[in-house]
Amino acid sequence: MKKFNKNIIVFVAVFLFIGFGFTSEYIQSLKTAVYDLIFEDIAGGNGEWLSNFSENVEQIPSDELRYHKQLLDVDSLKQNVLNTRIIVKDDATLLKTDTGSIIWSQKKYLSDEALDESIERIGQLQNFVNSHDGEFLYVAAPFKGYGLSLPENAEDYNETNYDRMLEKLKNANIPTLNLAALMKAEGLLNEDSYFETDHHWKPEAGFWATGAICEELFERYGFDYNRDYTDLSNFHIDTYKEWFLGSLGRKVGRYYTPGGVEDISLITPAFETNLTDKQPLKEQVKEGNFKESVLYMENIEGMNHYYQNPYVVYSGGDFRLQIIQNNLNTEGKKILIVRDSFACVVTPFLALNASEVHVLDVRDANYYYGDKLDVYEYIREIQPDYVLALYAGASGVTDSDGRYDFGDLAAAS
Amino acid sequence: MLFSSVPFIYLFLPTVLFFYYVVFRRSRNLQNIFLLAASLFFYAWGEPKFVLVMMASIVINWLLGLLVSKYKEDKVRSRLLIGVDVAINLGLLFVYKYLSFTGSIINAVFGLDLAIPQIALPIGISFFTFQAMSYVIDVYREKGEVQKDIMYVGLYISFFPQLIAGPIVRYETVADEIKNRKETMDDFFDGFARFVVGLAKKVLLSNSFAILADKAFESTELSAGFGWLGALAYTFQIFFDFGGYSDMGIGLGRMFGFHFLENFDYPYISTSITEFWRRWHMSLGTWFRDYVYFPLGGSRVKKGRMVFNLFVVWFLTGLWHGANFTFIVWGLMYFVLLVMEKLTGFNKKEGKVLNVVKWLYTMLFVILGWVIFRAESMEYAFYYIKAMFGLNGNALVDGMFTGYLKQNAILLLFGILLSTPIVPTLKKKLGSHVLWDVVSVVGLIGLFILSVASLASSSYNPFIYFNF
């Protein structure tokens, strides 16, 4: 009797696996590509019909396959077993530190010219703020990776770019809060301050940074703030265990880091609060206590590692304009903060010590609702007491994320 | 379209199998027409305009094949037709692959400033022009029946499993199978298993080695240790990339009832350069042997003529790989070594210790050869080789070396083991055990899932033989 060919099992298993991978989204994307091919390109006499079709099909993302996330997890396990510490993706190079935390490699050494351009922009903003009776502070947060133990073959200019930028800010006499130096002095510049699988710092670090900002504003400008509101012992901390797979973990899979999915803290005041959180461009208003207003609980309720971002339970995420009013401190200071996403875990706590915190995000990306606002125009309009620019890491002006596009200075002057 | 891609695995292959084995199962003619159409579609997917070049090649070679067959009794006329066929095929190759290179040499040598056209290279042109020539020459040599139906010539030249990266299939190998093949269950399922193995070699091994190799070859401050590590990584990258692609091509061919010859036979266990070239890219080596070396007289001539014949073959072998002096130097390096072996008989001497020495000598030159092959220019090749031997003033070892070595230790171990015939050896010893069957089934399924996982995570997926 002929021996049974075991490769039949392989073939059947593989093709069942392939078949199971098709989701309605994937099939719909295919149908769209075929529809465009027949009814748009061929019917329209477009000579590029085949290259258009192949491009459309090639661009159907593999994350429309049913088990895409599970495939990422399988790949992450493989990378972990092989001790891979540098993962090259289409859009990023990720590094694993000695303790297993993932960081986003900053592969570009910023030239002096690039940094000088940034300093010039920041200096212009500072001068404008001062000329409108406000005070300015640049808050430099260390991007994850600064001071951490990287693989010896890693290419990362995070630390050197940051240090050089801080030196230039100092030389330009721009009021700056160097959080890296402060964190280092307080023994906080380590992996514990950052998520393992995300590029952001933890809420605890953001909370601490808020206190540091308040203290700096106090020392420089006599900012009167309630130190109880920057003391963590006056807050409840609810820990969501194994709840959070960060931005970098979602790129590589759940099993790449030793801890896998990680905990995230929800820090809420143990004292009375009453705030109003507005997003004028969306005509959205939330009012109530801290949790009801500045926390966006839908981002943390119902655990979903790949499709949820619990980090943005704080502030809700990145918006062109967000205004937080403290209804229990109507006589306090008005603060404008131009920021990146490291401020998500800062602005809610900062609002406890201000009457209003206005948040502007001028970075370039396609996920924002609405166009970026002109910071200069906005300053003229609201006349803030303090203007903060809070950014992680260092960046040039060109070939960057647009963080220093503060607007049309000439028009505003 | 790459074999190692989601569109091929999830869309193209299942669709082709369905139409071939279900829709057209009752008609061999329709099956062949479909395969031809699918192959042209496969090629046009990545090269919509160049599919016309390939179709023109099919038409021309079909016509010349008919003429050669018609005039086969007239030696003068038939040889003239062969000459025309070779000239057209090589002319096509010259225009697309070597015109710019030639123009730049003329400008450099004669101090001219001729406008050099930048012509895009059709994928796989080196493979399908050689296959096309093989058809006409084999018809002339009566090693295969002339095909009156252009469809069969088209299918032979353009068949997608071997179209863009080989193996170079000789017409005589598949002439009968084009019309009279018998698909069997064993061929189908074993072919599929072979495809999975090839996919794993390419995606899991070659792509991983590529990251390390690319890092080394873009370095401008190369330590000796990192230089060797990078060279070793490229040695594995090119083997598992090309060997993996050959496995996939051979496996896919079997699924449709075609039996292509093997292309790689564990070349890195060779104990001489002569042996290496009997194990590496065998389809190319035998093509040059049968269509260039033997017609020139081979080794059955005076020593001086033999050396000349070898020079021609290895110059052309190098040149075939690319329009750059690096490839020519790489080919001529092998010419020198092969002549040395032929004249001294060194490769034929045996002995336990001597075999180790011979293996080390072989691998040394193979690795150095790959450095030249990989380098963008001879200048960089010299820089790299000097670095490997600590002659460029850089450190012997550095963080790049220690870091990449630690992070790739397991991968390197796999690379070394799988470069040897360990799997067929184990299969011979254990193949009759049920446990072997279980392990191989689970292993193959696991390899497929791991490969798809790697592709789905948008990991690095280069393909280095794509532009040959």
Side-chain angles (χ1 to χ4, degrees):
Chain A
M1 196 170 100
K2 197 167 180 288
K3 191 184 171 190
F4 173 73
N5 189 330
K6 63 188 183 309
N7 289 324
I8 294 173
I9 303 172
V10 176
F11 178 82
V12 169
V14 164
F15 270 78
L16 282 175
F17 179 83
I18 289 172
F20 187 64
F22 287 103
T23 56
S24 53
E25 288 82 11
Y26 196 94
I27 292 168
Q28 185 54 45
S29 296
L30 265 180
K31 279 185 184 170
T32 304
V34 172
Y35 180 91
D36 287 348
L37 166 71
I38 297 171
F39 297 105
E40 305 265 348
D41 287 331
I42 293 179
N46 184 353
E48 305 285 314
W49 59 270
L50 184 54
S51 42
N52 285 349
F53 179 63
S54 67
E55 203 177 305
N56 289 340
V57 172
E58 297 272 4
Q59 279 174 4
I60 298 174
S62 59
D63 59 7
E64 286 184 9
L65 291 173
R66 187 185 309 277
Y67 37 60
H68 180 256
K69 303 308 170 201
Q70 287 74 23
L71 289 177
L72 271 188
D73 290 341
V74 166
D75 193 63
S76 70
L77 195 55
K78 179 201 84 180
Q79 301 283 28
N80 210 344
V81 166
L82 293 179
N83 191 30
T84 308
R85 293 185 63 185
I86 299 175
I87 294 184
V88 177
K89 295 280 185 184
D90 293 339
D91 58 349
T93 298
L94 307 179
L95 310 175
K96 192 194 256 188
T97 68
D98 287 352
T99 58
S101 188
I102 314 172
I103 74 159
W104 203 323
S105 172
Q106 304 298 303
K107 291 179 81 171
K108 191 173 176 185
Y109 179 85
L110 294 173
S111 66
D112 284 330
E113 292 75 26
L115 288 175
D116 287 340
E117 277 188 298
S118 303
I119 303 307
E120 189 183 345
R121 290 270 182 105
I122 298 167
Q124 286 169 349
L125 179 62
Q126 178 206 355
N127 293 337
F128 188 85
V129 170
N130 293 157
S131 70
H132 285 74
D133 299 327
E135 300 290 358
F136 178 79
L137 182 68
Y138 187 89
V139 181
F143 200 75
K144 186 182 175 191
Y146 188 106
L148 304 186
S149 48
L150 303 180
E152 54 217 301
N153 55 330
E155 271 180 311
D156 184 70
Y157 294 101
N158 182 16
E159 208 164 311
T160 180
N161 286 340
Y162 180 96
D163 287 344
R164 287 165 53 236
M165 182 165 183
L166 269 291
E167 188 64 30
K168 287 180 182 292
L169 284 164
K170 184 178 163 192
N171 293 339
N173 293 317
I174 292 172
T176 303
L177 174 58
N178 182 349
L179 286 177
L182 207 53
M183 285 171 82
K184 192 172 180 181
E186 297 197 20
L188 295 173
L189 194 61
N190 52 50
E191 276 97 341
D192 290 338
S193 294
Y194 296 87
F195 288 109
E196 234 181 29
T197 63
D198 197 79
H199 63 286
H200 292 113
W201 52 14
K202 290 180 179 171
E204 289 86 344
F207 183 89
W208 169 88
T210 308
I213 291 168
C214 289
E215 185 61 23
E216 186 72 14
L217 289 174
F218 166 72
E219 286 188 0
R220 281 185 185 269
Y221 308 124
F223 174 57
D224 186 18
Y225 75 101
N226 187 338
R227 280 164 176 73
D228 288 342
Y229 295 169
T230 58
D231 182 346
L232 201 56
S233 64
N234 295 321
F235 288 76
H236 297 303
I237 302 177
D238 294 310
T239 303
Y240 285 70
K241 288 203 156 299
E242 294 181 1
W243 208 267
F244 182 36
L245 182 67
S247 58
L248 306 179
R250 288 198 291 276
K251 281 184 182 298
V252 294
R254 278 182 280 209
Y255 304 116
Y256 183 58
T257 53
V261 183
E262 51 192 321
D263 303 340
I264 183 168
S265 304
L266 193 70
I267 303 172
T268 51
F271 48 87
E272 187 190 358
T273 55
N274 189 327
L275 302 149
T276 304
D277 178 291
K278 292 181 187 172
Q279 286 192 47
L281 296 184
K282 285 187 181 179
E283 295 177 352
Q284 185 176 301
V285 179
K286 291 171 65 186
E287 280 181 285
N289 62 28
F290 188 88
K291 198 172 182 179
E292 290 162 343
S293 56
V294 294
L295 295 187
Y296 286 67
M297 295 302 293
E298 65 270 22
N299 293 316
I300 203 166
E301 280 158 356
M303 179 173 64
N304 192 326
H305 296 137
Y306 277 104
Y307 294 104
Q308 202 176 41
N309 183 7
Y311 175 76
V312 297
V313 67
Y314 298 94
S315 304
D318 302 328
F319 308 109
R320 288 295 184 208
L321 172 63
Q322 190 172 19
I323 302 170
I324 308 171
Q325 290 169 327
N326 187 343
N327 301 318
L328 298 181
N329 185 13
T330 54
E331 302 303 313
K333 295 295 187 186
K334 187 187 292 182
I335 301 175
L336 166 63
I337 179 166
V338 189
R339 49 68 105 194
D340 66 17
S341 54
F342 270 57
C344 283
V345 291
V346 168
T347 50
F349 303 113
L350 189 62
L352 295 173
N353 267 311
S355 68
E356 287 177 20
V357 173
H358 295 244
V359 185
L360 286 180
D361 196 328
V362 297
R363 293 176 297 159
D364 298 321
N366 58 11
Y367 55 72
Y368 290 100
Y369 185 91
D371 298 325
K372 60 171 95 176
L373 302 186
D374 188 310
V375 177
Y376 296 115
E377 280 301 323
Y378 199 77
I379 289 170
R380 274 164 53 126
E381 189 185 316
I382 69 164
Q383 300 288 322
D385 298 298
Y386 303 120
V387 173
L388 312 180
L390 192 162
Y391 289 111
S395 181
V397 168
T398 52
D399 194 30
S400 77
D401 58 4
R403 59 178 59 182
Y404 302 129
D405 290 343
F406 299 130
D408 190 339
L409 177 61
S413 297
Chain B
M1 195 190 298
L2 295 179
F3 290 161
S4 54
S5 68
V6 169
F8 181 84
I9 295 168
Y10 278 74
L11 299 173
F12 185 85
L13 182 60
T15 305
V16 169
L17 288 174
F18 174 74
F19 276 87
Y20 187 86
Y21 279 109
V22 175
V23 177
F24 300 126
R25 70 185 182 281
R26 297 199 192 284
S27 166
R28 171 66 78 212
N29 219 28
L30 286 177
Q31 283 180 325
N32 283 338
I33 292 170
F34 172 72
L35 278 185
L36 172 61
S39 298
L40 292 175
F41 180 82
F42 176 87
Y43 189 76
W45 184 268
E47 306 278 331
K49 295 187 176 99
F50 289 137
V51 73
L52 298 172
V53 173
M54 191 172 63
M55 288 166 79
S57 170
I58 290 169
V59 170
I60 290 166
N61 285 282
W62 168 71
L63 276 171
L64 285 166
L66 289 174
L67 290 170
V68 161
S69 176
K70 184 179 174 185
Y71 294 112
K72 64 182 173 208
E73 304 304 329
D74 183 342
K75 289 292 170 206
V76 171
R77 205 176 277 195
S78 54
R79 281 183 184 175
L80 182 65
L81 287 166
I82 293 288
V84 168
D85 182 70
V86 169
I88 290 174
N89 282 292
L90 292 183
L92 199 68
L93 199 54
F94 176 80
V95 166
Y96 283 102
K97 196 167 175 180
Y98 300 108
L99 184 61
S100 301
F101 178 56
T102 308
S104 60
I105 292 173
I106 291 172
N107 279 346
V109 167
F110 297 104
L112 301 173
D113 191 22
L114 300 170
I116 300 174
Q118 298 303 315
I119 302 174
L121 181 66
I123 298 168
I125 188 170
S126 304
F127 289 99
F128 71 72
T129 49
F130 270 38
Q131 283 206 188
M133 282 192 285
S134 161
Y135 166 69
V136 178
I137 296 170
D138 282 359
V139 165
Y140 167 74
R141 290 178 176 178
E142 295 183 71
K143 286 190 173 175
E145 183 197 334
V146 66
Q147 294 293 354
K148 293 195 167 60
D149 191 331
I150 191 173
M151 182 194 61
Y152 294 120
V153 176
L155 182 58
Y156 161 66
I157 290 173
S158 69
F159 190 35
F160 75 87
Q162 33 81 145
L163 172 60
I164 57 174
I168 299 172
V169 177
R170 306 274 279 277
Y171 179 60
E172 60 174 315
T173 307
V174 295
D176 187 56
E177 285 183 336
I178 288 175
K179 282 190 202 167
N180 302 319
R181 64 188 178 277
K182 293 244 179 319
E183 299 90 337
T184 66
M185 299 269 275
D186 278 346
D187 273 342
F188 183 87
F189 294 115
D190 290 347
F192 182 73
R194 184 81 185 259
F195 173 82
V196 171
V197 168
L199 181 69
K201 279 185 186 175
K202 162 73 181 115
V203 174
L204 301 178
L205 292 175
S206 176
N207 288 358
S208 302
F209 282 119
I211 294 171
L212 171 46
D214 286 355
K215 209 72 218 167
F217 278 88
E218 68 190 32
S219 175
T220 51
E221 286 191 9
L222 193 62
S223 66
F226 194 48
W228 276 101
L229 194 59
L232 191 61
Y234 187 70
T235 300
F236 288 131
Q237 178 195 347
I238 195 169
F239 173 51
F240 291 115
D241 189 299
F242 199 19
Y245 230 83
S246 290
D247 283 337
M248 288 192 272
I250 291 167
L252 287 169
R254 271 186 87 180
M255 290 176 78
F256 295 99
F258 291 92
H259 297 83
F260 305 148
L261 298 178
E262 292 296 329
N263 212 13
F264 292 87
D265 182 19
Y266 301 99
Y268 294 155
I269 64 171
S270 303
T271 55
S272 70
I273 299 297
T274 306
E275 186 184 357
F276 176 77
W277 278 100
R278 287 194 187 128
R279 292 173 175 272
W280 179 273
H281 200 178
M282 297 187 285
S283 64
L284 181 73
T286 53
W287 196 98
F288 273 112
R289 181 196 66 195
D290 294 344
Y291 295 113
V292 179
Y293 189 61
F294 284 167
L296 286 174
S299 23
R300 294 181 190 187
V301 290
K302 287 196 178 129
K303 245 182 213 163
R305 175 63 191 218
M306 181 193 73
V307 170
F308 171 77
N309 294 344
L310 284 170
F311 172 81
V312 170
V313 165
W314 288 100
F315 175 83
L316 291 177
T317 301
L319 192 62
W320 180 90
H321 282 82
N324 193 323
F325 285 112
T326 52
F327 298 112
I328 295 171
V329 167
W330 172 80
L332 291 178
M333 180 195 80
Y334 282 116
F335 157 69
V336 168
L337 292 168
L338 286 162
V339 164
M340 186 272 295
E341 286 184 7
K342 263 203 169 2
L343 294 179
T344 61
F346 165 71
N347 53 304
K348 293 188 177 127
K349 293 181 171 51
E350 295 283 329
K352 251 191 184 152
V353 173
L354 185 59
N355 281 347
V356 172
V357 171
K358 282 165 65 184
W359 178 81
L360 285 170
Y361 138 81
T362 304
M363 285 314 299
L364 173 67
F365 281 104
V366 164
I367 292 172
L368 291 178
W370 288 136
V371 171
I372 300 170
F373 189 91
R374 171 65 174 78
E376 298 279 334
S377 67
M378 281 312 302
E379 190 185 339
Y380 189 79
F382 281 133
Y383 161 79
Y384 197 102
I385 292 173
K386 272 174 66 179
M388 286 168 76
F389 291 98
L391 300 174
N392 63 349
N394 285 348
L396 289 181
V397 293
D398 60 0
M400 294 295 271
F401 167 72
T402 49
Y404 274 108
L405 180 64
K406 282 183 209 168
Q407 291 154 34
N408 291 278
I410 299 174
L411 185 69
L412 285 164
L413 187 61
F414 272 115
I416 293 167
L417 284 175
L418 295 174
S419 298
T420 68
I422 186 169
V423 172
T425 305
L426 284 172
K427 187 177 177 182
K428 241 188 206 167
K429 290 193 160 98
L430 306 169
S432 55
H433 289 261
V434 168
L435 188 60
W436 175 264
D437 288 344
V438 171
V439 166
S440 64
V441 166
V442 170
L444 283 169
I445 295 170
L447 284 177
F448 180 83
I449 293 173
L450 278 173
S451 302
V452 172
S454 189
L455 293 173
S457 69
S458 302
S459 290
Y460 197 47
N461 190 21
F463 181 43
I464 48 180
Y465 261 73
F466 219 87
N467 277 321
F468 294 156

